[in-house]
Amino acid sequence: QQQVKQSPQSLIVQKGGISIINCAYENTAFDYFPWYQQFPGKGPALLIAIRPDVSEKKEGRFTISFNKSAKQFSLHIMDSQPGDSATYFCAASSRQDSWGKLQFGAGTQVVVTP
Amino acid sequence: DAGITQSPRYKITETGRQVTLMCHQTWSHSYMFWYRQDLGHGLRLIYYSAAADITDKGEVPDGYVVSRSKTENFPLTLESATRSQTSVYFCASRPQGFDYQPQHFGDGTRLSIL
């Protein structure tokens, strides 16, 4: 049973458009929510992360929106570029877990068309 | 260059064979992790380690064995490979202490079991 549910499984967006990926979780102990970006043949790399004490975090064209009451968080990619074509994973972890283990969503493959 | 390297990058073997996937990191990170990546499942944790000789099972440990005699190495062994273990395997590491430290991933080993 996946502790973090991610949708959609894939999406296609035109260059300049907005990509939106959504994640939901059940474990209220989760207090760290990173997003990882993965290109073909490469390992996932941290893109941006948020803690539940803020509702939004922005880094360049990438924004995380966090809704603690709904137990949902989302990644918005503004002005999407062909170089953003990749698989995106949301994840969650809890400070109660001293190992810092991550629970990953199933991933979203994003294709940005020219 | 410092980083995390996995070897081999590609491996084809037969059912019943033993195969070992290697992971080496140069950061002296305390924590190391093994994941498998399958379509529709995201990344699932197989085993993790907090230090040399300290390991524990993750979500999907059956059929796998790990060891960690040195901080920098964390090999994963499939003792008797099965077709269901065909997957892409990723090793990751992070520094000790939670403090929202991200995990850093290698570029993976693509394993096919015939």
Side-chain angles (χ1 to χ4, degrees):
Chain A
Q1 181 182 355
Q2 209 142 24
Q3 293 195 39
V4 179
K5 290 183 167 54
Q6 183 172 348
S7 63
Q9 187 173 356
S10 63
L11 67 91
I12 300 173
V13 61
Q14 284 191 329
K15 179 182 176 181
I18 302 174
S19 304
I20 302 174
I21 306 169
N22 300 299
C23 287
Y25 64 97
E26 289 297 326
N27 187 348
T28 55
F30 286 149
D31 57 4
Y32 174 63
F33 303 91
W35 285 88
Y36 281 79
Q37 180 187 53
Q38 183 183 30
F39 294 107
K42 296 292 187 181
L46 179 68
L47 180 65
I48 185 173
I50 195 169
R51 306 180 206 179
D53 53 343
V54 296
S55 60
E56 184 176 283
K57 183 173 182 180
K58 184 176 180 179
E59 288 185 5
R61 296 183 293 105
F62 300 90
T63 299
I64 300 178
S65 297
F66 183 79
N67 186 329
K68 188 174 182 178
S69 61
K71 292 184 286 186
Q72 295 175 347
F73 58 109
S74 60
L75 177 70
H76 295 235
I77 306 174
M78 313 300 287
D79 186 26
S80 296
Q81 299 297 310
D84 297 332
S85 296
T87 300
Y88 294 82
F89 293 96
C90 61
S93 66
S94 168
R95 207 175 179 88
Q96 295 175 6
D97 177 358
S98 60
W99 299 74
K101 298 194 297 293
L102 291 170
Q103 295 289 335
F104 283 90
T108 298
Q109 186 173 18
V110 174
V111 175
V112 182
T113 60
Chain B
D1 288 338
I4 185 165
T5 56
Q6 295 184 235
S7 61
R9 290 296 315 276
Y10 304 91
K11 177 75 176 178
I12 300 175
T13 191
E14 297 176 337
T15 56
R17 299 254 187 183
Q18 183 181 80
V19 58
T20 296
L21 310 183
M22 304 301 293
C23 178
H24 176 79
Q25 52 106 352
T26 59
W27 290 304
S28 298
H29 286 170
S30 296
Y31 293 99
M32 297 189 74
F33 306 83
W34 273 107
Y35 296 89
R36 59 177 291 172
Q37 182 177 6
D38 304 288
L39 192 63
H41 292 279
L43 293 120
R44 291 181 292 175
L45 185 63
I46 305 171
Y47 267 96
Y48 52 100
S49 170
D53 298 324
I54 301 176
T55 62
D56 204 352
K57 296 178 181 179
E59 181 186 352
V60 288
D62 293 343
Y64 303 95
V65 174
V66 293
S67 62
R68 196 167 177 204
S69 56
K70 292 183 178 181
T71 300
E72 61 267 30
N73 297 323
F74 191 36
L76 176 74
T77 297
L78 289 66
E79 292 189 302
S80 178
T82 65
R83 288 183 181 169
S84 65
Q85 293 177 308
T86 291
S87 185
V88 182
Y89 291 85
F90 288 98
C91 178
S93 71
R94 75 168 185 86
Q96 186 174 9
F98 184 71
D99 296 330
Y100 307 110
Q101 296 279 356
Q103 293 184 20
H104 301 271
F105 285 79
D107 285 337
T109 294
R110 183 174 294 274
L111 178 63
S112 296
I113 300 166
L114 307 178

